[in-house]
Amino acid sequence: MTAQATPSAPVLLVGVDFGLPHFDTELEELGLLAETAGLKPVARLTCKRRAPDAALFVGSGKADELKALAAQHGAQEILFDQALSPGQQRNLERHIGLPVNDRTLLILEIFAQRARSHEGKLQVELARLQYLQTRLVRRWSHLERQRGGIGTRGGPGETQIELDRRMIGDAIKRTKERLEKVKRQRGTQRKQRERREVYNISLVGYTNAGKSTLFNALVKARAYAADQLFATLDTTTRQLWLAEAGRAVSLSDTVGFIRDLPHGLVDAFQATLQEAADADLLLHVVDASNPNFIEQMDQVEHVLAEIGADTVPQLLVFNKLDLIEPERQPTSLRGLFEVDGEMVTRLFVSAASGQGLDALRAELAQRALDAAQAPPPAEPEPPDPRGL
């Protein structure tokens, strides 16, 4: 997390319950995120508040408790499950005497560690720069005015914070330009697929729902898959042969979603997530063994709406059938499930054992055939030159 942090650095996890329905009382997800980033949770603390304290987020009394708890367990860093303002972060660090970071920076750190492709690295860098830009406000101790003149970096009377802000602004501009170039290249690739009339399917879902394992099982690829959060960050696309349809379709594995995904990441990952918005079908993969799967589905639908993919047809794939307790096993592997007021086809599968995959392939083949037989969309009528 911080420059001083080392692998398995001990951290104290903090969550504040403001009465929201999705509050994680055990801080389980934050703990998994911390472990994914190479940190070691040594203690956890939760509390309730009506609203965040303007200065210290948790109030001075709870901040004192955090300081004592960190000293007791030897924590080297404090991690909050919510986003902190720059002022709150600075005040907490001064009060506790330890680095304090939030869920947003933790997710950015994981993305920075996991990104492999050129595009993924650019997207993470943009999100990191945008986050850092908000931390400049009164965050540094070197805010004295720069001396103007030949050989100095800043202009006459330019403060260090103004210089930092300008340098980060320039870096953001350069990164956006490079990302725009990548986005154009992706657009060209999509147009080529459209000209070949390829049926495009994208896997979406909450992180660790098993998307990459399902992707590998369907296309026999070797995309990285692991039982951890954000195992896959870069979009991978392969051809999937569907014998029942007598044709191949394009299958893409995308980055997983998560609760409170930083808006900077949603914006920065538009190029990657565009694969979902431009798909003909979304395979919404759900971890059916997770008791909070409905909340996770809601989070995915929220992000899909943000990127303009909420109108793309969906097929629900309830994965990890092999991990569902016997008393919760479905009576049928195929059925309907309500999503945003609409009934959507749901299939139960186990990507790990292969159960239900034949039915899934058959469903995909039928969808591809139906799309091929559907009449092309009507061309819009040209405007009347008379303006009528």
Side-chain angles (χ1 to χ4, degrees), residues 1-11 34-35 37-40 76 113:
M1 290 292 299
T2 62
Q4 295 81 14
T6 58
S8 298
V11 295
E35 291 170 359
L39 304 174
K40 180 183 178 181
Q76 297 177 7
Q113 292 175 5

Side-chain angles (χ1 to χ4, degrees), residues 311-327:
T311 58
V312 179
Q314 284 191 29
L315 174 61
L316 290 176
V317 181
F318 274 45
N319 190 27
K320 303 189 181 182
L321 177 62
D322 53 312
L323 299 182
I324 300 177
E325 298 89 341
E327 63 272 14

Side-chain angles (χ1 to χ4, degrees), residues 22-79:
H22 63 252
F23 181 69
D24 184 0
T25 55
E26 302 297 326
L27 297 180
E28 181 180 356
E29 190 168 86
L30 183 65
L32 290 173
L33 286 169
E35 291 170 359
T36 301
L39 304 174
K40 180 183 178 181
V42 293
R44 303 170 192 233
L45 185 144
T46 59
C47 61
K48 289 186 177 183
R49 287 187 65 91
R50 290 185 178 179
D53 180 74
L56 293 170
F57 194 75
V58 292
S60 58
K62 192 60 65 174
D64 289 337
E65 186 177 342
L66 286 175
K67 183 175 182 179
L69 191 61
Q72 177 185 346
H73 292 275
Q76 297 177 7
E77 185 174 340
I78 312 294
L79 276 179

Side-chain angles (χ1 to χ4, degrees), residues 85-113:
S85 72
Q88 290 166 338
Q89 184 179 5
R90 181 189 71 253
N91 293 336
L92 282 167
E93 288 182 342
R94 289 176 177 173
H95 191 98
I96 299 174
L98 289 173
V100 176
N101 286 301
D102 60 14
R103 180 187 180 91
T104 301
L105 184 64
L106 181 59
I107 293 175
L108 287 173
E109 174 69 16
I110 295 170
F111 273 53
Q113 292 175 5

